[in-house]
Amino acid sequence: MKKLSFILTLCMFVAVSSSGIANPKKDPTFKKAVKYFFQKKFEMAQILLHQSIKKNPENSLAYSYLGDIFLWKKQYNGAQAMYKRAIDINPNNAENYFRLGQVYYYKKLGTMSISNFKKALEVDKTLKFSHYHIGLAYLMLERNKQHTITSWETY
């Protein structure tokens, strides 16, 4: 009986490891991509992040980093797609909503920008700088001074 239990546990471990649910931070390709990212070697990081996603399509962090690269390159449609995918995989990461809000801000889509900044706060109340960006979007895109003041007073 113990032998059967051990075999079942081993089979489950192998199934989970091969299914892509494994921790992305343990993936050497992902680790190297993150290293390149922080060295601002974005081209290499981008290539490795795509390889990491091929191994683990549920790696929301890889999509977030790719979104950051696209945002840095001012390729807003690419950044938007990456952040949306990261949110689909892990809707509990407030930073992706915040970044998506930034993308919409740069695309001059005030309502969408504000909505995502608010969602970031909803998910994580500690992202206080979202209040500042909400106010900024109200001021620069919506031209609503009262909402700007309210957001900045909250900040």
Side-chain angles (χ1 to χ4, degrees):
M1 188 66 167
K2 286 182 182 181
K3 203 177 206 181
L4 180 60
S5 176
F6 173 75
I7 291 172
L8 286 174
T9 304
L10 183 63
C11 287
M12 287 185 63
F13 174 77
V14 170
V16 168
S17 296
S18 65
S19 70
I21 298 171
N23 184 352
K25 292 179 182 178
K26 291 182 180 180
D27 173 10
T29 305
F30 180 74
K31 282 179 163 178
K32 192 181 284 187
V34 171
K35 183 178 176 184
Y36 281 129
F37 177 86
F38 285 107
Q39 293 173 348
K40 297 188 189 298
K41 296 178 180 176
F42 296 125
E43 299 303 322
M44 284 301 300
Q46 190 172 355
I47 291 167
L48 293 173
L49 287 166
H50 281 293
Q51 289 176 6
S52 182
I53 287 170
K54 282 182 185 175
K55 287 190 239 173
N56 181 1
E58 299 300 306
N59 183 349
S60 66
L61 285 173
Y63 287 103
S64 294
Y65 280 114
L66 282 171
D68 291 346
I69 292 168
F70 284 122
L71 188 59
W72 183 82
K73 291 179 175 182
K74 297 181 181 177
Q75 295 175 357
Y76 301 126
N77 291 336
Q80 180 180 339
M82 294 299 107
Y83 293 137
K84 282 184 172 184
R85 181 65 181 121
I87 289 168
D88 287 343
I89 295 168
N90 181 9
N92 297 320
N93 185 337
E95 290 177 13
N96 286 321
Y97 292 105
F98 178 80
R99 291 175 181 135
L100 189 55
Q102 287 180 304
V103 169
Y104 287 129
Y105 179 84
Y106 290 126
K107 291 175 87 174
K108 307 229 183 295
L109 299 170
T111 305
M112 296 294 291
S113 177
I114 292 164
S115 172
N116 278 279
F117 290 141
K118 286 181 177 181
K119 181 66 177 177
L121 276 169
E122 212 177 282
V123 173
D124 184 354
K125 307 259 187 263
T126 65
L127 287 178
K128 299 293 184 188
F129 51 88
S130 288
H131 289 293
Y132 171 77
H133 289 287
I134 291 167
L136 188 64
Y138 274 126
L139 179 65
M140 302 305 289
L141 301 177
E142 299 291 315
R143 301 293 186 203
N144 187 325
K145 289 181 185 177
Q146 188 55 48
H147 280 90
T148 299
I149 292 167
T150 304
S151 292
W152 285 352
E153 285 177 342
T154 307
Y155 180 60

